[in-house]
Structures are given as C-alpha cells and as structure tokens.
Amino acid sequence: MALPYTASPYVLSLLLLLSIPAVFLLAPRLIPPRTLPAIPDADETDDLALFRRAVLLSASPSSTAAAASTTSSLFSPKRPQLKVAFLFLTNSDLIFAPLWEKFFAGHHDLLNLYVHADPSAVLTLPLTPSFRGRIIPGKATQRASATLISASRRLLATALLDDPDNHFFALLSQSCIPLHPFPTFYRALFSDNAGPRRRRRSFIEILDDEPTLHDRYYARGDDVMLPEVPFERFRVGSQFFVLTRRHAVMVVRDRRLWNKFKLPCLVKRKYSCYPEEHYFPTLLDMQDPEGCTKFTLTRVNWTDSVDGHPHTYQPEEVSGDLIRELRKSNGTYSHMFARKFAPECLGPLMEIADSVILRN
Ligand SMILES: *[C@@H]1O[C@H](CO)[C@@H](O)[C@H](O)[C@H]1NC(C)=O
Ligand SMILES: *[C@@H]1O[C@H](CO)[C@@H](O)[C@H](O)[C@H]1NC(C)=O
C-alpha cells in the first residue's frame, strides 16, 4: 500500500515518535549494561603461566612433605626452615620500610620479602638489598576491579616458587605497620596455632552477615555468579591476610571461582565493587573452612569510614597508648599489624619503635 505523497512525512514522524518508548523498553534487553574495564587478556595469560608453574612445583613430593610438617618440627635444628613470606602490595612508595627493616632485623633467616608495586608507583626509598632484590614484575591495579586479586595471587605464586621453605604468606600494604616484635608474630603462626588434626591454620577474616553483602554479590550483574557461587556461600573479609602454604597453593590453583570474580562490575554498581574483599574468604570458606581461624591479624579502624577507606591515622594520633590499644582484640589472638597510617606517621612511629612497637 502506497501512502499519499503529502502525508508520508507526518506518518513517518509519528512512527518515529511512537518508536521512542519501544527503544527504551527493548534497549536494556538488547544492549548489555555498561561495565568497568576488564582485566587485559595479556595480563591473564602471563598470570596463568606463572600460576601453573607454582602449582606444579608445589605438587612435587619434596615440597608436599615439607608442607605437611606439624608443629613438632618447630625449632628443630634440621632443614627445612619454616619461613614467613611477607608480601607487600603497594601503589606508592614503601614509606614505612625503615620501620619494617627494624621489625625484620636479626630474623632474615626466617623470612623472605616480596614487593608488588603498581607500575605507576615510584619507589624512591633507599631500600636495603633484602627489600630491593624482590620487587616482582607488577601490573596495573585499580580499585573496584579484580586487579588487586591478581596482584595478590601473583605475589603468592612468586613466593611459592621462590622458596619451598615459605610456609606462611602475609599480605600487607604500604600503609600497614607492625604492632609486635617479629618473634611474637612468628610464634602466633607456628606455635600457638594448631587447628583440627594439629594442622596450622590461615588467619583470614571470613564473615557472612555484613549488611552490604547482598549489593556486593550483585555488583557484576544478576545471577552471573551462579552456579559456582550461590549467594549463601558468598563471604566477605579483610583484604589482608596470612595464609598457610597449603592455602596459597589452593588460591593460585583456582580457576573456577576466579572466572566469576574476575568479571568486571557494572558501572552503575561500582560503589559495591570490592572483589578483593570477597574472593579469598569465599574460596577458602568453600574449600577448607576448618583450616582458617576466620580472624584477621590486621587491625583496621572502620569508624567514620569515608568512600570505603578506613580511618587513616595521622602523626598527632601516634602514641604508645594507640599501639597498645590496636593490639587488643576480642579473639584468641592479639593483632599483629594495623592500617592505615598516613606517610607522615613514619617519624613518630620510629620514635616509639624500640620502646613500644618492637617490645612486648
Ligand atoms: C578510630 O577512628 C576514630 C575516628 O574516625 C577515632 O576517633 C578513634 O579513636 C579510632 N579508634 C582507635 C582505637 O584508634
Ligand atoms: C570488641 O567487641 C566490642 C563489642 O562487640 C566492640 O565494641 C569492640 O569494637 C570490639 N573490639 C575489637 C578490637 O574488635
């Protein structure tokens, strides 16, 4: 049917007008919602190769035997040594390195250090060889993305590969400080920490009743986490943890949950996007809940938090009383580390390092 020539512009305009609501109705179904940037494929490929090597090495018989050793081997003179791998995840200078150096001094045979710095970070501090020698190839990290998980897994994999004597893996940031001397921390990990069947446990916060949990579960879209991660299994906890070697391997080996947690968040839900606070607690709670204390050794002050950032301590707040207060906990264990401290706190912290922080 041909429309009369003169009427057609009006009819066309009318049709166009009528189609506007249709576009609005259909668009959400046809166009996927906008997401934040995904992890670059090249980074994923590099990581997979590294993680495979770490898992293969850790599956070899000698390292399995070492990992299975129980508390009875503590302080025994024979090898292997039981070491702690300190993993620093940073996007700025390691301002508190001088304080950490004091914490590590005299114990270098019992620890290794690894630093993952965001490529934009300028490391200017005159770090000692033990710090400087272990800066691992870092890739870009951002808030509200799974890149912080990748960086943590990269640190774990590197430390697994580097030294089979690494038995615990402590993840820290540039704004963390120690609250106790090294031997106190070491004892908390190796002596006073027997779980079921005398297995040593990981210190990682695992919570299932936070009010934000629901929004955070849906941050990547509706139902995208299924079937691997039903809402009832979704957990939250501190981004900073201390894992056993067995759990470090578990994390580096995982592909199943990672395929879900690496999905970029929806732009409209970016304020619910904190994948690094969910991936580790959810994975470990699914695979080995008995092997976790569910408690973090890192004290954070969430009072009056702004934009997802905890309270940042300023120089005038630093005192012996503050350190003693931060050590206290409601759990069986004392806190060993605290965050966040402003860079300007270095001076006041160094002043009380010997008299308070590194003294029980
Ligand atoms: C936690 O931070 C608040 C300010 O946000 C401060 O008033 C309080 O003293 C801090 N608590 C501790 C234990 O440092
Ligand atoms: C201990 O528990 C009390 C009461 O639940 C709480 O107010 C306080 O902040 C907790 N302290 C620590 C260090 O978690």
Side-chain angles (χ1 to χ4, degrees):
M1 183 190 79
L3 293 165
Y5 178 72
T6 50
S8 64
Y10 302 103
V11 173
L12 275 177
S13 316
L14 192 69
L15 278 174
L16 272 173
L17 255 168
L18 286 173
S19 65
I20 290 169
V23 167
F24 275 93
L25 275 174
L26 290 174
R29 283 153 222 255
L30 302 178
I31 308 164
R34 285 200 310 132
T35 59
L36 296 166
I39 294 190
D41 285 343
D43 289 6
E44 274 286 281
T45 311
D46 287 356
D47 283 351
L48 264 179
L50 170 69
F51 297 172
R52 265 202 208 105
R53 278 192 291 132
V55 171
L56 274 177
L57 171 111
S58 305
S60 69
S62 62
S63 62
T64 318
S69 64
T70 60
T71 44
S72 58
S73 61
L74 183 65
F75 302 129
S76 82
K78 68 177 201 306
R79 306 239 136 220
Q81 272 289 23
L82 302 173
K83 294 187 193 170
V84 183
F86 288 85
L87 316 176
F88 283 88
L89 183 57
T90 180
N91 58 9
S92 74
D93 217 351
L94 284 174
I95 298 292
F96 298 133
L99 180 58
W100 285 107
E101 297 281 12
K102 264 182 171 296
F103 173 80
F104 296 138
H107 306 291
H108 279 279
D109 54 332
L110 295 176
L111 64 93
N112 285 305
L113 300 170
Y114 306 87
V115 180
H116 181 294
D118 186 278
S120 69
V122 184
L123 299 179
T124 59
L125 279 171
L127 301 176
T128 62
S130 61
F131 252 119
R132 203 168 42 227
R134 307 293 183 95
I135 297 183
I136 77 164
K139 298 185 194 296
T141 51
Q142 294 102 34
R143 289 189 87 197
S145 94
T147 49
L148 288 167
I149 303 177
S150 298
S152 308
R153 295 175 92 206
R154 227 168 268 142
L155 277 164
L156 289 168
T158 306
L160 279 169
L161 275 169
D162 181 59
D163 191 342
D165 289 345
N166 282 334
H167 277 251
F168 275 99
F169 300 77
L171 185 69
L172 298 159
S173 82
Q174 75 270 12
S175 63
C176 291
I177 64 156
L179 293 176
H180 282 284
F182 180 88
T184 308
F185 173 57
Y186 192 82
R187 261 196 309 277
L189 297 190
F190 288 103
S191 309
D192 316 332
N193 172 24
R197 284 169 278 129
R198 288 171 59 82
R199 248 174 50 202
R200 294 190 191 103
R201 292 174 295 171
S202 291
F203 291 87
I204 177 167
E205 189 176 39
I206 301 178
L207 305 170
D208 59 8
D209 61 352
E210 285 289 296
T212 56
L213 211 54
H214 186 271
D215 289 347
R216 287 167 170 228
Y217 179 74
Y218 291 104
R220 279 155 290 264
D222 299 336
D223 299 336
V224 297
M225 302 301 278
L226 293 173
E228 287 84 355
V229 190
F231 177 68
E232 310 78 66
R233 306 300 302 273
F234 189 63
R235 299 287 180 268
V236 63
S238 161
Q239 178 194 350
F240 299 97
F241 48 63
V242 182
L243 298 188
T244 60
R245 187 170 182 99
R246 170 191 160 80
H247 286 167
V249 174
M250 213 176 258
V251 163
V252 170
R253 175 183 284 139
D254 169 61
R255 301 276 292 275
R256 197 174 140 83
L257 261 60
W258 172 243
N259 281 336
K260 295 294 172 159
F261 281 89
K262 76 172 181 190
L263 295 171
C265 293
L266 304 182
V267 170
K268 63 181 176 187
R269 296 187 188 160
K270 87 172 181 196
Y271 297 107
S272 298
C273 189
Y274 298 90
E276 69 284 356
E277 293 184 359
H278 299 277
Y279 174 71
F280 301 98
T282 304
L283 177 68
L284 293 176
D285 198 48
M286 279 184 173
Q287 300 201 358
D288 186 21
E290 284 201 333
C292 303
T293 61
K294 307 199 175 184
F295 174 81
T296 179
L297 295 176
T298 306
R299 175 75 178 262
V300 193
N301 182 352
W302 287 108
T303 313
D304 305 328
S305 80
V306 180
D307 184 25
H309 291 286
H311 176 69
T312 302
Y313 290 101
Q314 300 301 318
E316 57 276 16
E317 291 176 271
V318 174
S319 68
D321 285 343
L322 175 69
I323 300 299
R324 284 184 282 269
E325 183 59 34
L326 294 179
R327 287 172 175 171
K328 288 182 196 161
S329 89
N330 289 334
T332 319
Y333 304 93
S334 180
H335 290 118
M336 295 291 154
F337 311 115
R339 59 189 275 268
K340 301 172 80 161
F341 282 77
E344 298 74 28
C345 293
L346 178 65
L349 285 169
M350 290 301 277
E351 273 173 36
I352 58 168
D354 291 323
S355 57
V356 182
I357 300 177
L358 302 179
R359 187 179 212 154
N360 275 326

